[in-house]
Amino acid sequence: MHLLITGATGFIGKHVLLDALADNRITKVTIVGRRPPSLDGSDMAHVKTAIMNKLTLITRDDLGSWDYNGDTELVTALKDCKACIWCIGGKSDGFATPEEFERVSYTFAVNAAHFLSNIAQSQTTEGQIGRAAQPLRFCYCSAKWANRQGKAGDGWFSYEAQTRNMKGRVETALLSIASESEGKMTTFIFRPGGVIAGATVKSLGSLASTMAIAGLRMIPSVVVNAEQVARVLVDASVGIRVEWQRQGPDGEKNTWESEEIVSWSLGLGV
């Protein structure tokens, strides 16, 4: 299966890239970004062969430009893409202006989703089996407490209100684009809490590391390992487990909270 990853130079995106390259179910990985990720670190050693065999890098100065009718190079490169893991984003206070925050957080993702919806609608599924016969999956890495009503700052809990409202706004737009794709694309939303690297926990020393791991297991709704988030995002993009995970008491799910991400990852052995 062909997977597109954005934000591969970021904290979560790099973990997603490592996981995707090591996953034998994924035969091709394409990265679209403003600069290529570093491929020389020690954490890349176990996927060196996969990097050579299935990784494609496409650089674009403007990640808000996803021109289905004009960018023939990108259309050709992604014509058989069956999933995207979107890891571009950030907190509102990490941007110089509100306009830049909106452009990176909202415009980039929405324009890419429209592009991929067109890609999905151009693909034929007749005679295909497995993932090739299924809709393109847009997996969006959102954030804990994202608010689709834009009311994150209305109550007593106003922590990161701008960020949570923006994430919720993007979620709503992506779900809407998928609903208009004639069944050719689906959107899956993942809302991890605070994300830390498993390597960071292990580096604390034996006792502190053991305590930290126990703490993580006690508060999965608040803190989660980057490796767990990455494993679930990749599995959702390619695997059949997502179909089991979608079955909820209120019908099919399209959104998973932090504690559900942890539960899913434990089922995958992470």
Side-chain angles (χ1 to χ4, degrees), residues 81-138:
C81 176
K82 293 300 294 185
C84 169
I85 298 179
W86 191 270
C87 297
I88 294 176
K91 297 181 179 180
S92 60
D93 59 7
F95 295 87
T97 65
E99 291 76 19
E100 181 67 7
F101 174 51
E102 173 156 350
R103 190 175 77 88
V104 173
S105 300
Y106 182 85
T107 305
F108 285 10
V110 170
N111 287 356
H114 279 298
F115 177 92
L116 290 171
S117 177
N118 284 323
I119 289 286
Q121 292 179 66
S122 72
Q123 296 172 343
T124 178
T125 57
E126 185 177 353
Q128 301 291 332
I129 59 174
R131 277 294 286 116
Q134 297 173 356
L136 187 152
R137 298 175 182 174
F138 195 106

Side-chain angles (χ1 to χ4, degrees), residues 8-208:
T9 58
F11 177 54
I12 293 178
K14 183 177 180 180
H15 283 86
V16 168
L17 174 60
L18 284 166
D19 202 290
L21 289 172
D23 194 315
N24 292 329
R25 297 172 297 178
I26 297 172
T27 56
K28 184 176 182 180
V29 176
T30 296
I31 295 173
V32 175
R34 285 175 290 189
R35 65 183 186 279
S38 173
L39 303 176
D40 298 323
S42 59
D43 52 356
M44 288 287 182
H46 71 291
V47 293
K48 283 292 185 182
T49 301
I51 289 173
M52 298 301 295
N53 291 340
K54 65 182 183 182
L55 181 61
T56 299
L57 305 174
I58 299 176
T59 56
R60 289 288 186 274
D61 291 331
D62 183 7
L63 293 180
S65 178
W66 296 77
D67 187 356
Y68 183 77
N69 294 314
D71 195 337
T72 55
E73 178 191 6
L74 197 57
V75 171
T76 300
L78 297 175
K79 64 181 180 180
D80 61 342
C81 176
K82 293 300 294 185
C84 169
I85 298 179
W86 191 270
C87 297
I88 294 176
K91 297 181 179 180
S92 60
D93 59 7
F95 295 87
T97 65
E99 291 76 19
E100 181 67 7
F101 174 51
E102 173 156 350
R103 190 175 77 88
V104 173
S105 300
Y106 182 85
T107 305
F108 285 10
V110 170
N111 287 356
H114 279 298
F115 177 92
L116 290 171
S117 177
N118 284 323
I119 289 286
Q121 292 179 66
S122 72
Q123 296 172 343
T124 178
T125 57
E126 185 177 353
Q128 301 291 332
I129 59 174
R131 277 294 286 116
Q134 297 173 356
L136 187 152
R137 298 175 182 174
F138 195 106
C139 300
Y140 176 59
C141 187
S142 185
K144 183 71 176 176
W145 298 306
N147 192 299
R148 294 177 190 169
Q149 290 73 43
K151 298 180 179 181
D154 288 0
W156 63 271
F157 184 63
S158 60
Y159 175 75
E160 295 289 353
Q162 286 182 293
T163 302
R164 291 158 53 206
N165 285 335
M166 179 61 74
K167 293 289 189 181
R169 184 180 164 203
V170 175
E171 290 179 5
T172 298
L174 296 178
L175 290 168
S176 177
I177 293 168
S179 71
E180 297 170 357
S181 69
E182 300 179 357
K184 294 291 188 176
M185 186 174 86
T186 56
T187 292
F188 297 148
I189 309 293
F190 296 87
R191 295 174 169 176
V195 182
I196 64 173
T200 300
V201 174
K202 294 176 183 177
S203 69
L204 296 175
S206 58
L207 178 59

